[in-house]
Amino acid sequence: MKQYQGKSVYGAVAIGKISVFRRQEVSVKRVHTEDSPGEIKRVEQAEARAAQQLQEIYDKALREVGETNAQIFAIHQMMLEDEDYNDSIRNIIETQKVNAEYAVAVTSDNFAEMFRSMDDAYMQARSADIKDISNRIIRNLEAGEADGAAENDQMIVCADDLAPSETVSLDKDKVLAFVTAHGSSNSHTAILARNMNIPAIIGVGDAFLSEIRDGQTAAVDGFTGTILVDPDPETLAQMEHKQQQDLEQKKLLLDLKGKPNVTKDGTKVNIFANIGGVDNIGAVLLNDAGGIGLFRSEFLYLENQDYPTEEQQFAAYRKVLESMAGKKVIIRTMDIGADKQADYFQLDKEENPALGYRAIRICLTRPEIFRTQLRALYRASVYGNLGIMFPMITSVSEVQEILGICQSVREELQAEGIVYADNVELGIMIETPAAAVISDLLAPLVDFFSVGTNDLTQYTLACDRQNPNLERFCDTHHEAILRLIAMAAKNAHANGAWIGICGELAADTSLTEDFLRMGIDELSVSPGFVLKVRDAVRKLDLSKA
Ligand code: PEP
Ligand code: MG
């Protein structure tokens, strides 16, 4: 058995035979020709054929993955008509006296390079689109056959990378999973895979492709981003079990999708999802979460080699807000420090990092970092329904200082003529015992509380959450924790604020009844747990003692 690790694009399990995707290589020779008008005519004919092919692909995508995802092929059609692109091809044919194939290939390289060198990740990903349409024109010029995967039934398609058109052209009924050696999660291929609900892993690396063969058995774990080739019987059985569980979860999903989170006696609760980045939105939507209760924005910082710029952050927040189409999105300001270290912050080594310089403490001592994030958040606020929350709060004065900084950022934006929504809710995390104990003083200052039970447990029970040896002392159902949550809930409601739970405990269905009886308004859990919690809520009857 051989194991490879990549990045998960869509979480599901697939077991089957490998089919290595082979495309007809486009190799172009430079041929001298004086017949420039003839070559230009050939390009025009090849482009007309490409336009027709793209229309067929667009129609197929429209049927299978919807209009938003099909849009890329409409864009490809527009790219085909782009004046600069076509001028470049003609110029090369006429000035260099070369064949059409060569002129298209050079233009393709130049334009792809131009996109690749842009700062914006989205624009960079467009270089693959340019290559895709150019190769199509070249194949048409050479009157080549269409690309295609092997004819095997039900295959795990493995490729170096897949162009969007290649992805959507595959017969969906025959594809068990995609695994690619390269690729970015921002590419349309990844987006399509997610929307086609096909387990997909990208970025597995070159070694993978050179080592696999057609027909080998493989198990793709789209949850962990792992592909196991020639799994041993025990591993295979484990993967089959995981697949079975996943299918049961999907069945649950079908039954519960669209149903309200309401108990038998009519008590309602919001069930939201936690995410670490834009990539997770597909899972949020798939699992029918009512909103996002915790976007751990520090992952943007952890993925970067340097402080993410205001523009980078704005693009990410906007994307999440737009994707959630008006549903609530609560973004937590960065919680760097303790176990989440980014070198460029140059934080001193600490004896007790969990009790040290982290989260809001960094923001309040290095306000330039905080203000950049707040500017990006407020700018993005007009694209949806935003709430901002602040981690690791321990005192009233911290909250007052934060609110002052938010006010000053809003004034700054206003002075610059930049719009922001005026209904952005501001909340704090209740994840220190101090915050819970003074929640009566904190609640009047904010719109909401969100209980971070992971840290609240660590700090209340003095149990390092990173230390697996403390498990027997770390009773997550400890009466002290439940009392602190109940106290925060009572104080929130007494002051007109709402309260959610976004730590792991929110998904513990043995506590769902206790939480609802405390009056918790929102439970925010990993996307895959949304329906499990909905199921638990709908089985409860709070009118019974
Ligand atoms: C928590 O502490 O419960 C929480 C949600 O925050 P994190 O796990 O990111 O520290
Ligand atoms: Mg926490």
Side-chain angles (χ1 to χ4, degrees), residues 294 296 298 332 335 340 358 429 431 452-455 465 502-503:
L294 166 64
R296 290 180 162 98
E298 59 273 12
R332 169 174 80 185
D335 185 8
K340 293 178 240 173
R358 68 174 276 202
M429 291 193 69
E431 52 183 350
T453 50
N454 309 335
D455 277 316
R465 64 191 267 190
C502 64

